Amino acid sequence: MTTDTSWPNFEKTPIYQSFFENHDSYERYHVYLIGVRLKKDSKQKGSGSKADRKSVGIAPKTVKAGRFHIKSAVDPTCDCYAVIETFGDDTGSTDYFPVGKEKFATIKDTPLPAWDAKAVLIGKKEGTQGLRLTISDENRGADEVLFSTQIERSDLPEAGEFGSLEEKEFVLPGEEGTRMEDVEVCLRIKVSDGASRVVTKEDTEKQYENTDDMSYVEKVIEDESGKPQDNALLQCWQHSSPSKAVLWVLGRNDCFMHMHVATKLFFEKGYDVYVFNYKMNGHCRKKGWVSDPHYNSHCFSGDFNVYIHDIEQSLKIIKEHHNYETTLGYAHSTGGPILVNYLMHRGDDAFDGFVFNSPFLLAHTLAEFALKNSMVARKLFNSYNDMKVGVATTPEELKDTPVTYLGTEVVVSSWSARIWSMHYFDWATRPLYKVPKTLGFAQGVTKVHINLKKVFNNKDTVTTKPFLVITARADDTLDSKGTVSRADWIGPARTEVELNDATHDIFLSNDKDDTDMVVDMVKVWMKNKGFN
């Protein structure tokens, strides 16, 4: 199968061409939005509790008319959200590629909203004049703008390299005569140069080179169907004198781009690393086994049991290479239910412990929808598992110059582009375009969730081995509360860590300092459990 999986031609889409081919001309604005607080000289009193909401902060004020108090705002509550974005003649950010814009969550019914959240914006060095911050009150009709200000680029810190970034705090007062007059907005900003990356292109290419102490090999795990789309791939980094091993299970639409993590957690501790690229995921597309880009990570069978054989073969390869003293399992996101499903069917004898990075343990929206509507889908579609849900359409601005990849129109993802900006990866190994869900994927993950619940209800366990579940409240893909609560279903020897600022993949966060902290925390857990 010879399929060209290289980068598409961006010559007719200058926004994309500039971003991906001339990224050194950009810089990143790492924003930490703290929130709204009373000014020190404010005459208001109170803590912002329910009893104080009529008079504190930015709550809608009331005016007295006879015996009655009449609210002066459209909405009786204060449901605030914030938007921060780049502005300038040519920032490199557009409505269809909003790498320079972030909307922070709506904080319901509070006069002093505290976001305590981070984001990264990306803009051209020459065309970005600064950042604009807007805070609005969400109403049933038109939202009310409570606060809007611009921070000029000259007031921001100079762009630097990771490890030596200057952080500057901004305290922005509300305007007199508005609901914001007694409060101020607090945020901090760091700026990193687009040329500085946590993981560079050179780092990514170098990881496949053999060294005196370590070799890199790939093992194809063929399926009995004989179809290339059913193949899996095991990437193997093997030391000359290893003592331990880890089986690394990717997330959906993921690839191994984590040398900055694997080096500190595993390679320096004598671990060999085996990365399991399950069917239609990771390097499978680069191998030419994925013909439709929208089926990246798709599960044709709608049943994650198809991965059991591939994990068994991976463990066989590991065992045949060396008799390791310790073997860990690591899984991120959808890799969580894939590994848990294997454990429910085959047991945990092959492993000594596990690390779960934001595992997909709680079904929401699509997965639940697929389960409830599977019978309807069966009647409507002969191959219902192959149904795509949420296919992105080419933006109107690019209708005449769509991005085409593997013969299919794709839409570049600004979410993925931000990750790529800090952690380089190859277009052919991890999608930089929007990938729709499929019913096959949703059916597969939902079945695992149902079986996991049965294990829990039967007061059984998936594993008695020690495991770490680490996630973040800032997870922009899954519900961290659900992740933590379902961790109890896996087994009793659990350690649960819920961070504040890390992203869905805790090792690819918007702030390098957060990633470094996470690595240190996992190292402490490994040491405590004797896995060093």
Side-chain angles (χ1 to χ4, degrees), residues 35-247:
V36 175
R37 69 187 183 194
L38 289 174
K39 294 177 181 177
K40 291 182 178 179
D41 59 352
S42 171
K43 296 179 181 179
Q44 292 189 12
K45 296 180 180 180
S47 61
S49 64
K50 288 184 178 180
D52 295 321
R53 284 181 178 170
K54 292 182 179 179
S55 60
V56 173
I58 56 179
K61 304 299 185 292
T62 60
V63 293
K64 191 170 183 179
R67 296 173 58 188
F68 301 98
H69 285 80
I70 303 173
K71 292 187 179 297
S72 61
V74 175
D75 198 315
T77 61
C78 186
D79 303 332
C80 290
Y81 64 89
V83 175
I84 190 161
E85 57 193 321
T86 56
F87 72 89
D89 297 331
D90 181 16
T91 66
S93 181
T94 67
D95 289 340
Y96 61 85
F97 189 56
V99 290
K101 184 176 182 178
E102 180 74 15
K103 180 181 178 180
F104 292 89
T106 300
I107 308 297
K108 295 286 187 179
D109 195 21
T110 176
L112 293 172
W115 283 277
D116 191 21
K118 294 183 179 181
V120 60
L121 314 180
I122 306 173
K124 287 185 176 181
K125 297 175 183 176
E126 297 299 325
T128 302
Q129 294 174 241
L131 304 180
R132 180 184 296 113
L133 173 64
T134 304
I135 297 176
S136 301
D137 187 1
E138 196 174 71
N139 293 314
R140 294 186 183 91
D143 294 348
E144 180 184 1
V145 176
L146 304 179
F147 180 84
S148 184
T149 191
Q150 294 184 167
I151 304 174
E152 297 296 326
R153 177 62 188 91
S154 57
D155 292 328
L156 297 173
E158 291 296 317
E161 297 184 358
F162 287 113
S164 60
L165 300 183
E166 173 194 354
E167 184 174 58
K168 184 174 180 179
E169 183 174 40
F170 293 86
V171 178
L172 310 173
E175 185 178 350
E176 294 294 325
T178 72
R179 282 168 55 184
M180 297 284 291
E181 64 180 350
D182 291 307
V183 300
E184 55 195 15
V185 182
C186 307
L187 69 158
R188 299 173 188 162
I189 300 175
K190 296 186 286 190
V191 183
S192 63
D193 196 301
S196 176
R197 278 180 151 127
V198 177
V199 178
T200 67
K201 181 179 180 181
E202 292 71 26
D203 293 334
T204 301
E205 293 173 346
K206 189 177 180 181
Q207 70 184 16
Y208 306 120
E209 298 176 0
N210 293 332
T211 66
D212 293 338
D213 183 52
M214 189 162 59
S215 62
Y216 172 75
V217 295
E218 296 179 351
K219 300 287 186 179
V220 177
I221 302 172
E222 296 183 349
D223 189 85
E224 60 182 10
S225 71
K227 298 178 181 178
Q229 68 185 30
D230 293 329
N231 289 344
L233 183 74
L234 189 67
Q235 295 175 275
C236 314
W237 282 268
Q238 299 166 331
H239 288 87
S240 55
S241 300
S243 58
K244 298 175 282 288
V246 58
L247 178 64

